[in-house]
Amino acid sequence: MDEPVKENGRLEPETGQKKFGTFDGVFLPNILTILGVILYLRQGKIMGEAGLLYGILIILIAHVVTVTTGLSLSSVATNMRVRAGGAYYIISRSLGIEWGGCIGIPLAVSQTLSIALYVLGFAESLRMLSEVESLHFMAGITEYPLWVMGSIALAAMTALALKSSALVIKTQYFIFALVVLSLVAIFAGSRLTTGAPQMVGAFEELNFWQAFALFFPAVTGITAGVSLSGDLKDPRKSIPRGTMISVAVGMVIYVTLGVFLCFYASNDQLTSDNTILLKIAWHPEFVLAGVWAATISSGLGMVLAAPRTIQALANDGVLPRFLGKTHGKNQEPIMALVVALVIAEGAILLQKLDLVAPVLSMFFLVTYGTLNLVAGLESLVENPSYRPTLKTPWWVSLLGAGCCFYVMFLINTLATIAAFAVITIIYVLLKRQRLKSTWGDLRRGFWLSLIRRALLQVERLPQHAKNWRPNIMVVTGIPQGRLNLVELAEWLGSRRGIVTLHHVLVGPYAKLQRRRRMAINNLLRFIRENQLNALPAVDVVEDRTIDLRMIATSQGFGSFQPNTVMLDWNEREEVSPGEFEKLCQGASVAQKTLLVLRVDRDRKFGNRKRIDVWIEHDSPHLPMLLILSYLISQDEAWRGSHIRLNVMMGSAGDAQSSEKVQEAVRESRIPVHMEFHEELGVNDFYERTDAIARKSIDADLLIVTFPYDGSDPGELKEVLDKLSANFALLPSVLMVRGEEHIELAE
């Protein structure tokens, strides 16, 4: 016997001993659910409304959906060890616990409603007793309301299911024999009409897609076998074999019976009489026995399946965990069973079989569509771990998914929108719970596959200045001490670029492996706790100042590398003399845009309402400063802010230069207020801080060019010393040294 599997940090309980094979564990539950209420009580009505051609078309379309789903289900089932929960287990282990939950909950509800469908079908069939002469002595039962007979039948089914799931499975052999006997009695019956079959129906009570919705529950039986996956000896082998054989057998029977009915009864007889099979049959008693057998067995199958789906949801924490409690030596999910019975009884009290069937169709179509989507994505993503023994082409699975969702809209657009709205709400609620799972799923593989394709495509396309986006390497060290630096990087890159928080450790790699793992975990925790759109990176180097160029040019893939390095001015006071200057030189030598942030310790970023940009009239860095100020102003944190562009002119002014600046701003389409300052054009930057401070006293952030061109490393320390002496007068300052050409005109 298989050992229990540990998931979510606990041992997953098994639902009894695994002892069922392909025939008794999958094929019989499936085929007895397929050959159920719709076959005996509603196929005549569907064929009468649709006629021979459209009736067969309805059956074939339904089976296209089922066949593709069966193939998809088989592929996924042969690639994983399917445990209790069936379809929910497969979806959650492939798309993640949130998607599994938002599909699993409607699936569980649909399975409990299926119980009501079959019980109401059984209760309705009891009213046929008056149509069978040999059973007239039992006709008094028909005087009771449907809900009374249905409730009694539900109680009896529940008692049998609680007695033993193995006993229920064993009774399927006898029930299957009765169903076969009833089909023999039907096909050996007498014709009620001598006319030719009507090829196209009148669709008087139902349109085409309403008839389809009424029929579709007939082909949803493939979930019966997979829902008992936790009780199978070998799910990988039994689920695909049993599923596809049951689908094929069911399709042959439904098509054959559909043709048979159109030849043996008129359309009026089919649409007006739900007991038409009794009147055609050789011995109506056999048909009635088949109806009872099919509805009872299908109901029993769902009494077993629905609680197990609820239990699996509870064991994963999607539903309250007390619903996963088991009882007795067979470990029956007693609490989940109680919930399923309450929902089923509520539907039984409606006493409307034709109302329950279309609702079931919508829920099952969502489940089928998602199962197909899972298999299609698994094939497309091509994870090395996806190695099914029965592989379905990705296009077959995605075709099945598309058919499911398209048919939903055709059946009832408003109901489909409502169904997806409910699923979305469930997903959001589960996402907020931050449920944890210990299994891998295809989501990461999907994004990795997408990234791979995107990166290769990027390499094939030429670079252009109009496509510039910030790819920022933020040298944070321990990020908790660089909150303002990280905050600004988030404003610049979270929506339109990439931000990488970089921690550089200095020393021998062999001795710092443990510290490196701790640093990565710290970065991940910091990103998660602050809800940042950022990536973590930790490097170990012998000399940070020497190796920064190597680090900056080795990050990323191909040409997709950081194009910007961001440093914190305060780090200059924390490192050894000259080290900060070497970092700036390293970024310049690596030909990266350099951003140095100096934050006013008192004001921080003020009210985040005004950004002042200061630049010389002939500076080539104007496009870079404009785009950076624009990106910051577009962040939610700077909503309502405006940009003021201050252009420092020569002493006598320069009309031509002024016009060039204005033209560049117009072509950039960035809303700014421009001011020209002739009196500030004669002195060096660090000698202008007094005047700049007076004019920008109300600004929340200054953006200026970094006053160092990288040509003379020896002068950098002197420049930074002079800046440091004058910074006390200024608000928070972002200094920019742009190494890249940016095209803002196009």
Side-chain angles (χ1 to χ4, degrees):
M1 186 174 69
D2 294 321
E3 293 294 327
V5 170
K6 194 170 185 180
E7 290 194 353
N8 287 332
R10 55 167 177 74
L11 289 176
E12 182 184 273
E14 301 292 345
T15 56
Q17 291 185 344
K18 294 185 178 181
K19 51 190 174 183
F20 304 125
T22 300
F23 186 76
D24 56 356
V26 181
F27 175 79
L28 278 182
N30 283 0
I31 199 64
L32 292 178
T33 305
I34 291 170
L35 305 179
V37 174
I38 305 301
L39 178 82
Y40 290 103
L41 301 180
R42 291 295 181 269
Q43 189 172 5
K45 180 180 180 66
I46 292 166
M47 298 303 297
E49 288 283 342
L52 179 60
L53 290 180
Y54 282 116
I56 298 302
L57 183 60
I58 286 172
I59 295 171
L60 293 179
I61 292 175
H63 279 88
V64 166
V65 173
T66 308
V67 168
T68 56
T69 305
L71 289 170
S72 298
L73 184 62
S74 300
S75 287
V76 180
T78 57
N79 187 64
M80 65 168 60
R81 193 177 187 183
V82 183
R83 296 191 169 272
Y88 160 71
Y89 184 93
I90 291 173
I91 294 170
S92 63
R93 270 56 181 177
S94 298
L95 295 182
I97 195 168
E98 295 89 359
W99 277 110
C102 69
I103 299 299
I105 291 174
L107 173 62
V109 173
S110 65
Q111 288 176 333
T112 57
L113 291 178
S114 293
I115 299 172
L117 176 74
Y118 301 126
V119 168
L120 284 172
F122 171 76
E124 187 175 307
S125 70
L126 292 177
R127 293 187 170 180
M128 297 180 181
L129 290 169
S130 59
E131 303 289 333
V132 182
E133 186 175 347
S134 61
L135 298 176
H136 275 182
F137 68 95
M138 300 173 61
I141 297 176
T142 60
E143 298 178 3
Y144 294 99
L146 277 179
W147 73 268
V148 172
M149 294 184 289
S151 299
I152 294 172
L154 179 62
M157 291 178 186
T158 304
L160 182 58
L162 285 174
K163 179 69 176 175
S164 171
S165 60
L167 179 61
V168 172
I169 297 294
K170 289 176 182 177
T171 60
Q172 291 183 135
Y173 291 98
F174 175 69
I175 292 171
F176 182 62
L178 290 178
V179 171
V180 172
L181 183 60
S182 70
L183 291 173
V184 171
I186 291 169
F187 289 117
S190 304
R191 293 188 66 173
L192 302 181
T193 180
T194 56
Q198 188 170 336
M199 304 304 289
V200 178
F203 290 109
E204 293 179 356
E205 295 183 27
L206 305 171
N207 62 33
F208 182 88
W209 292 109
Q210 288 172 332
F212 179 90
L214 183 60
F215 174 78
F216 192 75
V219 297
T220 59
I222 62 172
T223 59
V226 75
S227 295
L228 298 174
S229 54
D231 299 300
L232 299 175
K233 290 178 183 176
D234 188 351
R236 288 184 180 177
K237 181 175 73 174
S238 296
I239 289 176
R241 288 184 181 179
T243 298
M244 298 313 299
I245 293 172
S246 62
V247 169
V249 171
M251 181 170 65
V252 170
I253 291 174
Y254 272 105
V255 170
T256 305
L257 182 60
V259 175
F260 175 85
L261 287 172
C262 288
F263 276 93
Y264 271 60
S266 67
N267 277 36
D268 290 339
Q269 290 170 324
L270 292 173
T271 55
S272 62
D273 190 357
N274 287 331
T275 66
I276 193 70
L277 289 181
L278 296 179
K279 295 172 181 174
I280 292 175
W282 165 49
H283 277 292
E285 297 88 352
F286 293 154
V287 175
L288 206 52
V291 174
W292 293 342
T295 52
I296 291 172
S297 67
S298 299
L300 281 171
M302 286 302 167
V303 168
L304 290 177
R308 282 162 171 74
T309 301
I310 296 173
Q311 180 191 34
L313 287 160
N315 287 338
D316 286 342
V318 176
L319 293 177
R321 291 195 179 272
F322 76 88
L323 294 176
K325 290 183 179 179
T326 57
H327 175 74
K329 64 178 182 179
N330 292 319
Q331 297 294 292
E332 295 292 339
I334 187 67
M335 297 304 298
L337 178 61
V338 171
V339 171
L341 294 177
V342 169
I343 297 174
E345 181 63 25
I348 290 170
L349 292 175
L350 294 175
Q351 305 184 84
K352 296 287 186 181
L353 189 149
D354 288 353
L355 181 63
V356 175
V359 175
L360 280 178
S361 296
M362 302 300 281
F363 281 131
F364 276 115
L365 279 166
V366 169
T367 304
Y368 280 19
T370 308
L371 284 171
N372 279 301
L373 191 62
V374 166
L377 290 177
E378 287 279 21
S379 295
L380 276 175
V381 169
E382 295 182 329
N383 271 333
S385 62
Y386 188 63
R387 302 182 301 275
T389 55
L390 192 159
K391 190 169 185 179
T392 303
W394 63 267
W395 62 267
V396 172
S397 298
L398 294 186
L399 174 65
C403 287
C404 289
F405 300 134
Y406 182 61
V407 166
M408 287 179 67
F409 279 99
L410 292 175
I411 291 173
N412 191 319
T413 301
L414 289 177
T416 302
I417 294 172
F420 283 119
V422 169
I423 289 171
T424 302
I425 291 170
I426 295 173
Y427 178 83
V428 171
L429 292 175
L430 293 177
K431 196 72 175 176
R432 288 181 178 177
Q433 291 183 29
R434 297 187 179 182
L435 299 172
K436 293 183 179 180
S437 61
T438 57
W439 63 83
D441 55 61
L442 69 79
R443 290 176 298 175
R444 185 177 179 88
F446 170 79
W447 290 115
L448 286 172
S449 177
L450 199 62
I451 289 169
R452 173 186 173 275
R453 294 168 189 263
L455 285 173
L456 292 174
Q457 190 63 34
V458 165
E459 290 301 305
R460 297 186 183 105
L461 297 173
Q463 295 187 42
H464 194 278
K466 67 180 284 187
N467 299 126
W468 185 88
R469 287 171 179 261
N471 188 342
I472 307 172
M473 187 179 86
V474 189
V475 183
T476 61
I478 299 174
Q480 286 81 356
R482 305 271 186 240
L483 293 177
N484 297 125
L485 186 72
V486 172
E487 193 174 29
L488 182 63
E490 177 81 356
W491 296 334
L492 284 169
S494 66
R495 291 182 59 195
R496 308 187 191 196
I498 301 292
V499 175
T500 303
L501 305 187
H502 212 101
H503 188 171
V504 180
L505 297 175
V506 181
Y509 185 85
K511 294 182 179 180
L512 294 176
Q513 288 188 52
R514 184 170 177 273
R515 279 188 60 192
R516 181 177 181 274
R517 287 194 298 269
M518 292 173 62
I520 290 175
N521 291 333
N522 179 55
L523 283 173
L524 288 170
R525 185 169 58 252
F526 177 80
I527 291 170
R528 183 175 60 252
E529 290 175 350
N530 291 277
Q531 299 181 348
L532 302 175
N533 294 311
L535 304 174
V538 178
D539 275 308
V540 178
V541 298
E542 294 290 343
D543 186 328
R544 185 172 67 161
T545 58
I546 295 175
D547 293 338
L548 180 64
R549 180 180 60 177
M550 180 191 70
I551 295 171
T553 55
S554 64
Q555 297 294 311
F557 298 90
S559 62
F560 190 75
Q561 295 179 348
N563 54 27
T564 305
V565 175
M566 182 178 284
L567 300 174
D568 189 342
W569 175 266
N570 290 331
E571 188 171 355
R572 188 168 185 259
E573 302 172 3
E574 300 169 5
V575 297
S576 57
E579 185 174 341
F580 184 80
E581 288 76 8
K582 290 180 180 178
L583 289 174
C584 295
Q585 292 171 10
S588 179
V589 172
Q591 296 185 324
K592 307 295 182 183
T593 295
L594 175 63
L595 306 181
V596 179
L597 175 66
R598 179 265 176 191
V599 176
D600 187 310
R601 298 184 187 222
D602 298 321
R603 291 183 56 196
K604 307 296 183 186
F605 295 106
N607 297 318
R608 299 174 187 171
K609 292 299 181 184
R610 197 176 99 199
I611 301 172
D612 274 13
V613 178
W614 286 86
I615 192 166
E616 293 84 355
H617 65 91
D618 56 352
S619 173
H621 301 305
L622 176 62
M624 178 65 74
L625 269 62
L626 282 176
I627 195 65
L628 292 177
S629 61
Y630 173 76
L631 290 174
I632 295 171
S633 70
Q634 293 301 296
D635 192 86
E636 186 73 18
W638 287 78
R639 176 182 288 182
S641 64
H642 64 277
I643 303 168
R644 189 172 70 172
L645 177 62
N646 298 275
V647 184
M648 295 176 284
M649 305 296 294
S651 58
D654 188 332
Q656 187 176 2
S657 296
S658 173
E659 180 59 34
K660 284 183 179 180
V661 172
Q662 293 182 62
E663 178 63 21
V665 172
R666 280 195 298 269
E667 291 183 345
S668 73
R669 303 175 305 284
I670 296 175
V672 301
H673 171 71
M674 282 187 291
E675 292 187 7
F676 294 89
H677 304 280
E678 295 182 3
E679 70 278 12
L680 297 179
V682 294
N683 300 315
D684 292 332
F685 172 83
Y686 50 81
E687 294 178 356
R688 303 170 187 156
T689 52
D690 217 18
I692 290 174
R694 288 196 303 271
K695 294 181 181 295
S696 293
I697 191 171
D698 296 326
D700 300 304
L701 176 66
L702 294 187
I703 300 182
V704 301
T705 55
F706 189 65
Y708 167 66
D709 61 8
S711 60
D712 184 3
E715 75 178 56
L716 179 57
K717 186 177 183 305
E718 180 183 353
V719 171
L720 296 185
D721 287 340
K722 290 180 179 180
L723 280 175
S724 181
N726 291 277
F727 268 154
L729 302 171
L730 300 173
S732 295
V733 181
L734 177 65
M735 292 173 284
V736 181
R737 175 69 191 176
E739 293 290 342
E740 294 186 87
H741 173 63
I742 297 178
E743 181 59 66
L744 296 179
E746 295 185 23

